[in-house]
Amino acid sequence: ILSLLLVFMLVSTSVPVSSARDFYDIYENGEEQRIIDNVLYQRYTTDFWDIKREPEYKGSYYVVADFCVSPEESAKRTEIKIVDEIDGVPVKVVKDRAVFRRKDTTIKKVTLSNNIVEIGESSLCELPNLESVKLPDNLKYIGEYAFGSLSCLEGVTIPAGVQEIGASAFAKCTALKKVVIKSDDVIIRRSAFK
């Protein structure tokens, strides 16, 4: 609740987040949070129920949410970029439901850090004009409906290190014509590409 209140307070301010690389650093229950280029990151330091492989991620950052101060700022962006690291600490996870402006028609491309090993459930779904997503080579897990309802996405390459593709991960991607899976040993859950 405190995180939501903080985001609400920051959204209601008139300070343009995109004008500063690091907008703020706060500590909530020992969790460091930062906004960089309109993306909210949090440092994983405690046990957190919705990150699946806890010991591997301890000390790293994860993406919490897309963050824009105003609709005007949001309307200017065509790409979302996830940074590789923050002060030398890697960003490894896109958290479940860290949805980037659902139904935002301006976003055409998402650039993920090569350090990302997990993309959570429903995290990058329902961006109607998203045309391009390059999945990082270090990626291991793609959550349920992670890329669902991307109606302009025509192709995707699943890197060799991916161990699991969640149920409905690419469901309702109506333009999806080409899927390349480089891994010989990947678990593909039900309806992953339907």
Side-chain angles (χ1 to χ4, degrees), residues 122-191:
S122 302
S123 56
L124 293 163
C125 61
E126 298 180 17
L127 295 169
N129 292 325
L130 185 66
E131 299 168 347
S132 173
V133 175
K134 182 185 181 304
L135 298 179
D137 293 335
N138 293 322
L139 186 64
K140 295 179 182 178
Y141 307 98
I142 300 172
E144 291 183 21
Y145 202 66
F147 297 97
S149 295
L150 301 181
S151 55
C152 287
L153 186 66
E154 293 183 1
V156 66
T157 299
I158 309 295
V162 172
Q163 299 170 11
E164 182 178 333
I165 301 171
S168 303
F170 292 89
K172 299 180 183 177
C173 291
T174 53
L176 192 60
K177 294 180 177 101
K178 183 177 180 183
V179 176
V180 176
I181 300 176
K182 292 186 173 182
S183 176
D184 292 332
D185 189 27
V186 61
I187 298 168
I188 302 174
R189 301 289 180 195
R190 65 180 162 69
S191 303

Side-chain angles (χ1 to χ4, degrees), residues 47-129:
D47 294 331
F48 209 73
W49 66 271
D50 62 352
I51 293 180
K52 295 166 183 64
R53 283 143 281 276
E54 295 172 18
E56 182 180 344
Y57 303 152
K58 194 158 182 105
S60 68
Y61 279 91
Y62 58 93
V63 177
V64 178
D66 183 34
F67 186 87
C68 274
V69 170
S70 69
E72 294 81 21
E73 282 293 315
S74 180
K76 293 177 187 175
R77 294 185 316 153
T78 59
E79 180 178 7
I80 295 171
K81 294 180 183 178
I82 306 300
V83 298
D84 288 331
E85 56 185 39
I86 300 170
D87 297 331
V89 178
V91 176
K92 290 188 172 185
V93 176
V94 179
K95 184 177 170 279
D96 291 354
R97 292 167 295 285
V99 176
F100 293 100
R101 300 277 180 214
R102 277 194 179 181
K103 304 188 189 311
D104 187 333
T105 59
T106 63
I107 302 301
K108 295 186 183 295
K109 181 178 180 182
V110 172
T111 303
L112 296 167
S113 153
N114 222 15
N115 292 327
I116 297 288
V117 293
E118 181 174 328
I119 299 171
E121 297 175 13
S122 302
S123 56
L124 293 163
C125 61
E126 298 180 17
L127 295 169
N129 292 325

